[in-house]
């Protein structure tokens, strides 16, 4: 999966939108594409300085920074259209942006009042599912119109299969994202576009480090027989593979990147 070589000829350069690339997995994905010689649109919501830092980490030229709130359908469309304009094309979209699990967004079914429950279901659904659906719609219009053999890669989650005791709406929106990818894989295959999802387990992003500190609790590292959690770059390597020309036959797949912590 790591055998993606740098491309030098300008007609080989791919144009890539990575949503939620201010930090974490999105940043690692953006860096990997740029290292492979591609042009990247680094999308973010609120962490402008972090997104600027991602830009500084990207080798090569022609990258662009784009802000947008993906809980708004019109913003999803604008982010895709502006990315395509700024990059000069669009062959790859990585639906990575999400509202993820955190102590402030807990909503266990027993112990959460109804107003909070309803608000959080709306929040997770608007961003994690509808945001990705609307970005995918706009990307599909662009790729079909340009007749490119495009790739859409969704960043889902192991939680879709294992359940999330304290964040059920997160788990459900990630399961729905996987299902969205499968439906779009069928719809877009006749256009030469492959759609896939990745289901990572715990990954050592800034968000996870903020939550647990540098010492991930033993109960979490013990999930994997490797005795650790993933690095963002391990997830990014899988994205690069699924976005590659040789991965067309993986279309419709949901790839577990979880260190054998959950087998299905
Ligand atoms: N880390 C893990 O353990 C893990 C495990 C399984 C799956 N995942 C998935 O991997 C992806 C990345 O995770 P991460 O830990 O790197 O997340 P993160 O650090 O929380 O980053 C989330 C990204 O999404 C953006 N975002 C949030 N709400 C948005 C909105 N309304 N509109 C547009 N962008 C928005 C954020 O932008 P700003 O920073 O600008 O606000 C940020 O760039 C997510 O899909 C997550 O569910 C992560």
């Amino acid at each position: 999966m790591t055998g993606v070589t740098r491309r030098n000829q300008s007609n080989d350069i791919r144009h890539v939108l990575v949503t939620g690339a201010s930090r974490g997995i999105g940043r690692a994905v953006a860096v990997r594409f740029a290292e492979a010689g591609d042009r990247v649109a680094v999308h973010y919501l609120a962490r402008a300085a972090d997104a600027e830092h991602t830009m500084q980490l990207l080798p090569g030229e022609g990258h662009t920074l784009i802000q947008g709130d993906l809980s708004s359908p019109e913003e999803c469309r604008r982010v895709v259209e502006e990315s395509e304009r700024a990059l000069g094309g669009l062959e790859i979209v990585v639906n990575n942006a999400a509202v993820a699990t955190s102590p402030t967004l807990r909503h266990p079914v027993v112990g959460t009042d109804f107003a909070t429950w309803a608000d959080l279901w709306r929040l997770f659904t608007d961003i994690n599912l509808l945001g990705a659906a609307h970005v995918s719609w706009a990307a599909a219009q662009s790729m079909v119109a340009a007749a490119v053999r495009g790739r859409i890669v969704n960043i889902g989650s192991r939680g879709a299969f294992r359940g999330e005791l304290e964040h059920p709406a997160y788990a459900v929106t990630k399961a729905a994202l996987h299902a969205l990818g499968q439906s779009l894989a069928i719809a877009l295959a006749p256009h030469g576009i492959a759609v896939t999802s990745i289901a990572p387990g715990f990954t050592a992003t800034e968000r996870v480090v903020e939550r647990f500190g540098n010492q991930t609790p033993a109960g979490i590292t013990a999930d994997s027989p490797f005795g650790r959690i993933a690095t963002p770059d391990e997830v990014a390597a899988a994205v690069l593979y699924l976005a590659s020309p040789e991965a067309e036959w993986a279309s419709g797949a949901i790839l577990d990147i979880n260190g054998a912590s959950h087998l299905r």
Side-chain angles (χ1 to χ4, degrees):
M1 278 190 196
T2 53
V4 180
T5 49
R6 189 178 171 81
R7 289 175 294 281
N8 293 316
Q9 293 171 340
S10 59
N11 62 355
D12 281 334
I13 290 173
R14 302 173 301 179
H15 307 92
V16 187
L17 165 61
V18 183
T19 68
S22 55
R23 62 179 193 168
I25 290 172
R27 174 184 282 169
V29 170
V31 168
R32 277 239 172 196
F33 276 114
E35 286 174 350
D38 298 318
R39 268 188 208 147
V40 184
V42 170
H43 160 267
Y44 70 100
L45 171 65
R47 291 186 180 86
D50 289 342
E52 287 283 0
H53 182 55
T54 300
M55 289 289 284
Q56 287 161 13
L57 295 174
L58 304 185
E61 292 172 352
H63 311 301
T64 192
L65 193 59
I66 183 151
Q67 191 278 337
D69 184 350
L70 301 183
S71 66
S72 150
E74 277 312 316
E75 284 283 274
C76 293
R77 189 177 184 171
R78 180 188 61 77
V79 163
V80 173
E81 291 175 354
E82 279 189 18
S83 299
E84 183 184 9
R85 258 196 308 277
L87 295 173
L90 189 66
E91 289 87 35
I92 298 169
V93 170
V94 182
N95 281 314
N96 168 78
V99 54
T101 59
S102 82
T104 54
L105 297 176
R106 289 175 66 252
H107 54 284
V109 64
V110 175
T112 302
D113 67 79
F114 184 64
T116 306
W117 172 264
D119 283 352
L120 289 176
W121 272 88
R122 172 62 60 199
L123 177 78
F124 280 98
T125 303
D126 279 348
I127 300 166
N128 297 6
L129 174 57
L130 300 184
H134 302 329
V135 165
S136 299
W137 180 90
Q141 312 313 305
S142 157
M143 291 172 186
V144 169
V148 296
R149 299 189 80 77
R151 298 282 182 266
I152 299 174
V153 182
N154 300 317
I155 308 300
S157 176
R158 178 186 65 181
F161 306 111
R162 254 190 9 165
E164 292 278 354
L165 178 66
E166 299 196 322
H167 300 85
Y170 176 77
V172 169
T173 55
K174 290 298 186 177
L177 179 63
H178 298 160
L180 169 70
Q182 293 185 316
S183 290
L184 296 190
I186 299 168
L188 295 175
H191 301 278
I193 299 165
V195 186
T196 52
S197 300
I198 292 177
F202 261 115
T203 305
T205 61
E206 292 87 339
R207 181 176 56 79
V208 169
V209 171
E210 276 166 14
R211 186 164 158 196
F212 297 123
N214 283 323
Q215 197 64 42
T216 310
I220 290 177
T221 54
D223 275 352
S224 164
F226 289 101
R228 65 174 179 87
I229 63 175
T231 66
D233 199 48
E234 286 173 313
V235 181
V239 174
L240 266 280
Y241 164 67
L242 291 174
S244 68
E246 53 268 50
E248 183 166 287
W249 221 240
S251 195
I254 303 161
L255 179 60
D256 292 325
I257 298 290
N258 68 28
S261 63
H262 181 73
L263 304 177
R264 60 188 174 92

